Amino acid sequence: MELFIRKTLEKVNDTSTVHSIKPVSGGDINQSFYVETDHRPYFIKINEKVARHFFQAEAEGLRLIKETGAIRVPEVFHYDCPDGDEKAALVMEWIERGSPDASPSLGKSLAHMHQHTLEKYGYGKPTFVGELNQQNEWCSTWTEYYRRYRLGGQLETGVAKGTISGRREERLNRLMDLVEEMIPEKPKASLLHGDLWGGNWMTSREGDPVLIDPSILYGDHAFELAFTELFGGFPSNFLDQYNAYFELPDDYQDTKPIYQLFYLLVHLNIFGEMYGSQVDRILKTYVG
């Protein structure tokens, strides 16, 4: 691994002395390392047997967020697009974690990021949500995109994996048929991180919020906020600060479970039946 890391550093024109290579915990999908050279410290992710666009999707998502100027992300220095089973790396800025609470600033910064919009929904390239390939296309309505590429994509994956079948499959199909009645057709198409749970943001040493590991798309900002409430990791003042700069819609509490359903389906399809009861509860609530 050390030799591969040294060869990867050559791709960013860093041939200086390597002082430290330390594994970094916290990720289930990649091997991650803190690497320090004479030039600078790096955060390097390494994987193999992944799709060509695996690290490209993450790098492009970070670039889009950075271009808004609303919130900090790690700078990307290099990513590989592997062929076959070869190792691939993503080389980024190392950001030292800090102890100050950045949650109020996170709410404000995320609200500003969400005000960067397009006139269409989705994303023109495949991305990843967790380890699952996320197909995307541009759609003229949010309802079409959410039904076809979010709920429909997880339905297809779940049927193939055997996690969605029988009554659950019937109910999900019925909910998808009714999705136009449950979520807005044409909300603002905000730039969204797309996988914003508590482990995908951090506080820098300077006290600034930092977003990591995006799964980028353009869509209803309530979709992003719904996920922040699903598994915790966001203090109570986060939503208050967010709402002060970008108000959530009046029907947010009604649409929130429909949006959380997507992320629960993702977890069902990755981790298995431990998430099945939460999926079924939402389906029963909305379609009986």
Side-chain angles (χ1 to χ4, degrees):
M1 188 63 71
E2 180 177 344
L3 179 59
F4 176 77
I5 289 174
R6 289 178 182 276
K7 288 185 176 296
T8 298
L9 290 172
E10 291 176 4
K11 297 176 182 178
V12 297
N13 297 316
D14 188 345
T15 57
S16 64
T17 301
V18 176
H19 296 287
S20 179
I21 299 176
K22 297 178 181 178
V24 177
S25 61
D28 298 325
I29 300 172
N30 307 294
Q31 292 180 277
S32 300
F33 298 89
Y34 167 82
V35 179
E36 184 178 357
T37 73
D38 276 342
H39 183 57
R40 65 177 305 139
Y42 299 92
F43 180 55
I44 300 180
K45 294 183 180 182
I46 298 174
N47 210 321
E48 55 188 322
K49 299 182 181 179
V50 293
R52 282 184 56 82
H53 66 291
F54 185 76
F55 284 135
Q56 181 180 15
E58 181 175 346
E60 290 184 353
L62 291 170
R63 175 182 59 80
L64 282 172
I65 294 174
K66 180 181 179 180
E67 287 175 355
T68 69
I71 191 166
R72 186 176 178 184
V73 295
E75 183 177 353
V76 175
F77 301 119
H78 169 79
Y79 61 85
D80 290 320
C81 294
D83 287 318
D85 294 342
E86 66 186 40
K87 284 188 178 71
L90 173 64
V91 183
M92 293 182 288
E93 169 191 12
W94 173 264
I95 296 178
E96 199 72 40
R97 289 181 181 267
S99 57
D101 179 12
S103 55
S105 180
L106 174 66
K108 175 182 177 180
S109 298
L110 189 69
H112 287 313
M113 186 185 101
H114 285 170
Q115 291 176 46
H116 289 260
T117 62
L118 291 182
E119 296 300 318
K120 51 190 176 181
Y121 303 91
Y123 193 53
K125 302 176 183 179
T127 56
F128 289 85
V129 55
E131 63 186 30
L132 299 179
N133 195 29
Q134 172 63 56
Q135 292 300 315
N136 296 294
E137 295 292 345
W138 293 115
C139 294
S140 60
T141 66
W142 170 241
T143 46
E144 177 189 6
Y145 174 78
Y146 191 66
R147 181 183 65 249
R148 180 180 298 181
Y149 294 103
R150 293 291 164 157
L151 297 181
Q154 291 307 308
L155 172 60
E156 182 178 340
T157 298
V159 169
K161 285 176 166 281
T163 56
I164 300 176
S165 61
R167 189 78 167 150
R168 182 179 293 165
E169 183 180 355
E170 293 173 9
R171 285 176 170 140
L172 182 52
N173 272 302
R174 199 181 319 153
L175 185 144
M176 288 167 59
D177 289 339
L178 299 172
V179 76
E180 284 85 356
E181 303 173 17
M182 299 177 175
I183 62 174
E185 181 183 25
K186 289 189 174 183
K188 286 185 177 180
S190 297
L191 175 63
L192 305 181
H193 176 283
D195 193 14
L196 190 54
W197 64 288
N200 279 350
W201 78 278
M202 57 179 280
T203 303
S204 73
R205 183 171 54 188
E206 296 77 22
D208 300 318
V210 181
L211 296 187
I212 58 175
D213 296 342
S215 178
I216 216 77
L217 74 150
Y218 287 84
D220 187 357
H221 68 135
F223 178 49
E224 187 110 284
L225 275 296
F227 189 33
T228 68
E229 294 198 77
L230 186 57
F231 298 129
F234 296 83
S236 58
N237 61 357
F238 161 70
L239 274 181
D240 293 338
Q241 288 290 329
Y242 180 96
N243 211 44
Y245 293 93
F246 193 176
E247 287 190 22
L248 286 165
D250 293 337
D251 63 351
Y252 171 65
Q253 295 301 326
D254 297 322
T255 60
K256 180 168 68 173
I258 302 298
Y259 289 152
Q260 290 178 336
L261 176 62
F262 166 74
Y263 290 103
L264 289 168
L265 289 169
V266 169
H267 280 71
L268 174 67
N269 287 331
I270 294 175
F271 301 109
E273 194 54 35
M274 70 179 71
Y275 292 95
S277 61
Q278 291 172 275
V279 167
D280 294 337
R281 190 178 307 119
I282 293 174
L283 293 175
K284 288 177 185 178
T285 297
Y286 285 87
V287 298

